Each structure stands twice: as C-alpha cells, then as structure tokens.
Amino acid sequence: QVARHTFVLLKEVKHLSAKTQQLFRVLTKSLVIQALTPVAIILVPLGITLCINATLTTFWPRIMSSWTTEPLDLVFVIGSLHGATHSIALIFTTPAFRAQFYQV
C-alpha cells in the first residue's frame, strides 16, 4: 500500500526533476525488497515448518520421532542467514552500492 501510494505521488508531483523521480522510484523498489527479506527468510519458512510440524505430530507422530534433526532447527539455521541476505539485498538493489561492489 505505502509503496504503491509513493509511486502514485511520484507520478503526480511536478516540482521534482525526472532524475530525482527516477531515483525515488529505484530507492522505493529497493526499500520494498529490503522489507520483504525478513518475510521471505524468517516468516515463510517458519510458517511452513510449523504447519508441517503440527500435521506430522498430530497424524504421524512416529515419523518425527525417528528424525535426528527437527524441522524447526533448520528454520533457525535459515533465519540466521537473515543478516547476510539483507545485506546482499541492500547491495544489489541500491544502484550506488551495486556500482561500488562491482568496482571492488
């Protein structure tokens, strides 16, 4: 909602140059991707794992008793990658950071 509203306002505003409007569009897209990173890295795997965990413990409890690694343990490992994933998303969605990265 907020990102869509920002894009609508950018189309309507007349006192900003075309270059500034383009910069705002690029940075808004970058911000949306950065905001979705925790959802994709933490919330989605956690939700899927909790559903699978609840289903297996309810209907097939013996399946999980033979596992050496619980699914929730894997979610914590994936969740620990959030910081690195967020940094990578920031670098590759922000043009100035991306250009600096490619120079190195």
Side-chain angles (χ1 to χ4, degrees):
Q1 283 279 3
V2 174
R4 188 177 339 142
H5 182 66
T6 302
F7 287 122
V8 169
L9 288 178
L10 283 173
K11 285 182 182 178
E12 294 175 0
V13 76
K14 302 296 180 202
H15 66 277
L16 294 176
S17 69
K19 186 176 181 179
T20 304
Q21 286 182 352
Q22 179 62 26
L23 180 63
F24 278 142
R25 277 191 205 94
V26 168
L27 292 178
T28 302
K29 288 177 186 175
S30 174
L31 186 62
V32 168
I33 292 171
Q34 291 172 46
L36 291 177
T37 301
V39 172
I41 297 297
I42 297 172
L43 294 181
V44 170
L46 182 63
I48 291 170
T49 301
L50 290 177
C51 290
I52 291 172
N53 212 5
T55 303
L56 289 178
T57 55
T58 303
F59 299 110
W60 300 284
R62 281 190 275 168
I63 290 176
M64 286 187 63
S65 65
S66 64
W67 292 354
T68 57
T69 304
E70 294 286 328
L72 202 54
D73 295 338
L74 298 175
V75 170
F76 289 131
V77 170
I78 293 170
S80 70
L81 299 174
H82 168 258
T85 306
H86 187 271
S87 297
I88 291 169
L90 178 66
I91 290 169
F92 287 107
T93 59
T94 308
F97 295 154
R98 186 173 51 232
Q100 189 66 31
F101 177 78
Y102 287 136
Q103 283 183 352
V104 173

